[in-house]
Amino acid sequence: MNLRAVGKAALLLALAAAGIRFIYRKRCRIEVYASMYVYGIKSLGVITVVAVFTGMILALNTGIAMRDFHQEAHIGTAVMVSMLREMGPFMTGLILAACVGSAMAAQLGTMVVSEEIAALEIMSIDPIRFLVMPRLMAMCVMTPLLSFYTCIMGVIGGGIVGKQLLDVPWDIYFDNALRWAKNKDLFVGMFKAFLFGVIITTVSCYEGFATTHGAVGVGAATRKAVIICFLAILITGLLVTGLFYY
Amino acid sequence: MIEFRNVTKMLGGRAVLDGVSFHVEQGETFVIVGSSGVGKSVTLKHMVRLFRPDEGEVLVDGESISRATGSRLEKMREQFGYLFQGGALLAWLTVAENVALPLREKTALSNDEILKRVRETLKLVGLENDGHKHPSEISGGMQKRAGLARAIVRQARIVLYDEPTSGLDPVTSRAIDALIEGMRRELGVTSVVVTHDLHSALSIGARIAMLHGGKMIECAAPEDFVRSSRPEVRAFLESQFITKRGAWERIIQ
Ligand SMILES: Nc1ncnc2c1ncn2[C@@H]1O[C@H](COP(=O)(O)OP(=O)(O)O)[C@@H](O)[C@H]1O
Ligand SMILES: [Mg+2]
């Protein structure tokens, strides 16, 4: 992705954001709700599984290390803090990039190839307002919420491991988890997730629109969208953490 | 009405259009024929600025659409209906919703009026019982007719048809011809029709143009088109058995 493409993608984002002013239209809102359902609610299953396992792995790893110092009761804190700050938004971002980003790029790419985008243009229906704006809105709302949900499920997963394998009782685990959970961690995490939502939508829609060369091109656009999303999520995650905690 | 002035367009390293000039009169049905890949769809797309000429200009009502931008372009495009070669229906909407889309997005009509217009238009193209289906659930020919319904539902002044009858059975093809002719007669619609179907070309065209090698090698009224001595035109006519005495007179009437 060269500098020119970055510029064009930024322009796409700006135009889509400007399209939010049409949200007062009922049809627009329906599109947004539909996108929320398709991209958010339908991802719940896979996100739940990944979140629970992430929490379990975190708990097990830290628990084994802390058991040497008889501190395994504190795994609640470890799981909670790392989920809130990093793993929650990060896991959510990666999963959404893989499921939602690829779907968006493939759908828009197919629409380019079958001339549906051209048809919209001729009808003077702005494809960015009509297609990108609802997706952007939906992702901006759903990604932070899903990230929060990932944190909760991760903490629960950690609790299960604590109870079953490390003999940490539920109440102690959650007591520790909640005592050290700071609002700042929660909000920074959700802010990160918000940025990831913006990135996934912008990159995927841009790559979808830029599709050429038929069905092969749709495959290429999808692959490219997912790779760029992954990279952008990693870099943004690092930058935001640096910005707030360094 | 629509005028091409020396339009040259390079695509994939070759001149698909090489200095093409012609004009389409108001209220006429202008037919473009030519072999596959010769640039017929590209020509149509220039009229609505999906392509811009590398050289030359495309004028609509004396105004350059190739240079128009923003709301001016939007205004100019609003006069057009466009039937894409593949139908280009939105996959997640039903046929009826697809046809309703230009009305919903671009007019202030009430819901009842929109539904009524959609029903009437679907009836015109013979899809009155298929409005609730999705594009993937109907045949290619039906998708084409749904695309046609979407192109004409707003009662545009100019309608561009990219192969409206290809993939359709002969009976439906003649019905589509009658539809195009009827809109010209009753509403004064200007039509540009790209087709391989010589029967429709002769029966609805006021003039027929042939593209070949990036040039418009023939452009004449049907009576003169069938008498053309250009070898490419002869080959096209002979491929559809129109050279027999009496055959074409009956079609043109
Ligand atoms: N978007 C495009 N990019 C590159 N080449 C194109 C594009 N669209 C059409 N062409 C080329 O232009 C030529 C004419 O295409 P087209 O107008 O679709 O043919 P047809 O006369 O069958 O409708 C073809 O050789 C095609 O490869
Ligand atoms: Mg074509």
Side-chain angles (χ1 to χ4, degrees):
Chain A
M1 207 176 181
N2 54 23
L3 216 58
R4 203 187 151 99
V6 173
K8 282 192 189 166
L11 182 65
L12 176 80
L13 172 62
L15 291 173
I20 292 177
R21 69 181 185 278
F22 290 102
I23 198 73
Y24 67 88
R25 287 192 200 164
K26 192 169 160 227
R27 283 175 55 76
C28 246
R29 280 203 302 278
I30 291 173
E31 284 289 322
V32 174
Y33 297 145
S35 302
M36 280 179 171
Y37 176 74
V38 173
Y39 299 127
I41 307 297
K42 281 200 164 177
S43 310
L44 272 180
V46 58
I47 282 190
T48 308
V49 174
V50 173
V52 170
F53 273 87
T54 308
M56 296 205 293
I57 291 166
L58 279 175
L60 195 56
N61 267 319
T62 41
I64 289 168
M66 286 162 110
R67 192 160 55 181
D68 296 343
F69 309 100
H70 303 291
Q71 295 290 321
E72 65 265 36
H74 289 288
I75 52 168
T77 316
V79 172
M80 183 63 125
V81 170
S82 51
M83 281 311 280
L84 278 185
R85 281 196 191 178
E86 292 295 342
M87 295 314 280
F90 184 67
M91 282 296 163
T92 314
L94 290 192
I95 293 166
L96 291 184
C99 334
V100 171
S102 60
M104 283 184 189
Q107 194 193 356
L108 295 189
T110 308
M111 289 184 72
V112 170
V113 170
S114 63
E115 299 190 311
E116 290 168 53
I117 302 289
L120 287 175
E121 270 181 49
I122 291 172
M123 292 188 273
S124 292
I125 299 172
D126 179 7
I128 295 179
R129 181 197 47 79
F130 189 71
L131 298 169
V132 183
M133 190 280 278
R135 285 169 173 74
L136 182 67
M137 276 292 282
M139 287 294 279
C140 284
V141 175
M142 291 316 278
T143 318
L145 290 181
L146 286 174
S147 161
F148 184 59
Y149 174 80
T150 304
C151 294
I152 296 174
M153 291 327 258
V155 171
I156 291 175
I160 294 171
V161 163
K163 176 96 171 63
Q164 298 296 328
L165 302 179
L166 301 166
D167 293 324
V168 181
W170 280 113
D171 51 341
I172 296 187
Y173 176 85
F174 280 107
D175 200 37
N176 272 321
L178 290 175
R179 179 151 9 123
W180 296 100
K182 286 203 235 89
N183 276 342
K184 182 183 172 186
D185 293 341
L186 175 66
F187 290 134
V188 171
M190 300 231 329
F191 175 64
K192 246 187 219 173
F194 170 83
L195 290 183
F196 294 164
V198 173
I199 288 170
I200 292 167
T201 318
T202 311
V203 170
S204 309
C205 290
Y206 173 79
E207 289 299 336
F209 279 139
T211 301
T212 51
H213 305 301
V216 180
V218 175
T222 310
R223 190 176 58 95
K224 214 170 149 196
V226 173
I227 293 173
I228 295 172
C229 283
F230 273 28
L231 286 177
I233 285 172
L234 287 166
I235 295 168
T236 312
L238 181 67
L239 288 181
V240 174
T241 304
L243 184 69
F244 284 96
Y245 294 104
Y246 181 65
Chain B
M1 187 94 208
I2 303 172
E3 187 180 352
F4 271 53
R5 277 195 196 150
N6 256 320
V7 172
T8 297
K9 181 70 182 175
M10 305 288 294
L11 282 171
R14 74 186 176 96
V16 174
L17 299 181
D18 186 6
V20 171
S21 296
F22 65 94
H23 62 104
V24 179
E25 305 285 348
Q26 168 127 29
E28 111 175 303
T29 300
F30 190 85
V31 175
I32 302 175
V33 298
S35 48
S36 293
V38 80
K40 303 182 298 297
S41 300
V42 170
T43 306
L44 277 195
K45 284 175 187 167
H46 273 86
M47 297 181 185
V48 285
R49 227 204 78 167
L50 284 177
F51 279 125
R52 295 171 81 169
D54 294 329
E55 278 165 47
E57 232 176 340
V58 180
L59 305 166
V60 178
D61 289 329
E63 192 181 339
S64 170
I65 194 165
S66 1
R67 291 213 209 105
T69 51
S71 63
R72 192 65 216 140
L73 177 63
E74 198 170 310
K75 273 262 152 28
M76 293 179 84
R77 275 177 172 167
E78 264 172 23
Q79 313 175 49
F80 285 92
Y82 195 119
L83 167 62
F84 280 88
Q85 197 167 347
L89 302 168
L90 302 185
W92 71 94
L93 297 179
T94 65
V95 168
E97 284 164 348
N98 263 291
V99 177
L101 187 67
L103 298 177
R104 288 207 196 284
E105 291 289 324
K106 286 286 148 186
T107 65
L109 293 178
S110 73
N111 194 38
D112 290 343
E113 265 174 287
I114 290 176
L115 292 179
K116 187 162 151 272
R117 280 270 280 280
V118 169
R119 222 177 303 120
E120 287 167 3
T121 315
L122 283 177
K123 192 146 183 240
L124 275 181
V125 298
L127 288 178
E128 62 269 36
N129 297 323
D130 303 287
H132 61 282
K133 292 181 186 158
H134 280 87
S136 56
E137 298 168 328
I138 59 178
S139 73
M142 288 158 90
Q143 288 180 18
K144 195 134 228 185
R145 280 183 281 153
L148 176 60
R150 186 180 65 184
I152 62 176
V153 72
R154 261 178 78 199
Q155 302 173 343
R157 287 170 60 223
I158 313 167
V159 186
L160 312 180
Y161 304 87
D162 201 339
E163 306 196 8
T165 57
S166 64
L168 294 187
D169 62 278
V171 176
T172 314
S173 298
R174 297 296 79 82
I176 300 285
D177 289 347
L179 181 74
I180 296 174
E181 175 60 15
M183 290 204 309
R184 184 193 64 77
R185 206 171 347 121
E186 282 151 35
L187 304 168
V189 171
T190 308
S191 305
V192 182
V193 184
V194 164
T195 188
H196 292 296
D197 183 341
L198 192 52
H199 194 294
S200 12
L202 292 175
S203 58
I204 62 175
R207 284 184 299 150
I208 304 174
M210 183 170 217
L211 277 179
H212 184 80
K215 306 269 189 201
M216 190 161 273
I217 56 166
E218 186 65 83
C219 178
E223 303 79 70
D224 303 322
F225 186 82
V226 293
R227 294 199 181 91
S228 167
S229 56
R230 303 278 320 204
E232 294 85 5
V233 179
R234 300 293 344 147
F236 178 64
L237 294 171
E238 277 156 24
S239 71
Q240 300 193 38
F241 308 108
I242 298 294
T243 45
K244 283 209 202 84
R245 183 170 288 281
W248 57 267
E249 282 96 339
R250 239 180 299 128
I251 301 173
I252 299 173
Q253 313 162 2

